[in-house]
Amino acid sequence: MGELANAEARLEEQVEDVRELRKIVERFDMEIAARMDEIETIGGAILDLHGDLDNQIAEYDYMAVEQSTTSLRGLVKPADVLPAIDTVCLLTALRDDEAVPDLTLPLSAFENSDAGKHPRLTQEDLDREIKAALARADQRWEEIWGDDAWEDPNERESHWAEHRAEAEREAIKDRARRAAAHIEELVDYIGDTLWPDLVEAVEAGDRERAVRALSAAWAAARETEPAYKLYEVNLSAQYESSPMSLGAMGEYLSDFETWLRAPKTE
């Protein structure tokens, strides 16, 4: 009976060990799932941000656009995202009895990185586009009105001047719209291309690929700061050219400008 009791005790110890191991694995799984949820939630927030930007740009709410770009940079900040990636990769490797990934990449590597092929746009690009648009507008005028017999040369010049002024206003508006679209392209690139790749890499336990995607996302997010400045400059030019083209925002700014210039009573 003594041997039977000892065997039973050993079996109970083994069962208890299995229970403890199962609890450890369950804790691993729970932590992995929680961290994956954090990473996937960021992707959803980026997509939501794009919807917000659509409305903000349509309403010329430049202050809200700036806040959205700031929020984007906060969402993909490596100092906040990398720990979640590393936790998933490390716990997955331990759980599955695989090689532990190298987690030594310093955060400073992200700050010095200009990784990725994110969209780029400069004022020179926009100025070339506006020059080309005006050239096309001039050509259209010549095709429609150039061969007309103008009895009064002044009338021809007046018609040309009106056409040119309208073409310039439209070109300036298009330039501001293009600058706004650039911000949206950066957000799309992160949300539609880079973040799904990052999530897939983390799920596969491929830290190196996940880090590349995060580095590219951070580089694209940093680009939203100069992109906003570009938008702000060209939206200001649109306001100066045609205040009412900014809708309610243009009316508000125009009224505010009038109030500032009005003589103040003592």
Side-chain angles (χ1 to χ4, degrees), residues 83-98:
I85 292 174
D86 285 349
T87 298
V88 174
C89 291
L90 178 60
L91 293 183
T92 300
L94 292 173
R95 182 196 63 188
D96 298 342
D97 195 24
E98 296 177 349

Side-chain angles (χ1 to χ4, degrees), residues 115 122 124 158 168 193 249:
T122 66
E124 290 74 18
S158 177
E168 287 179 352
T193 300
M249 179 60 73

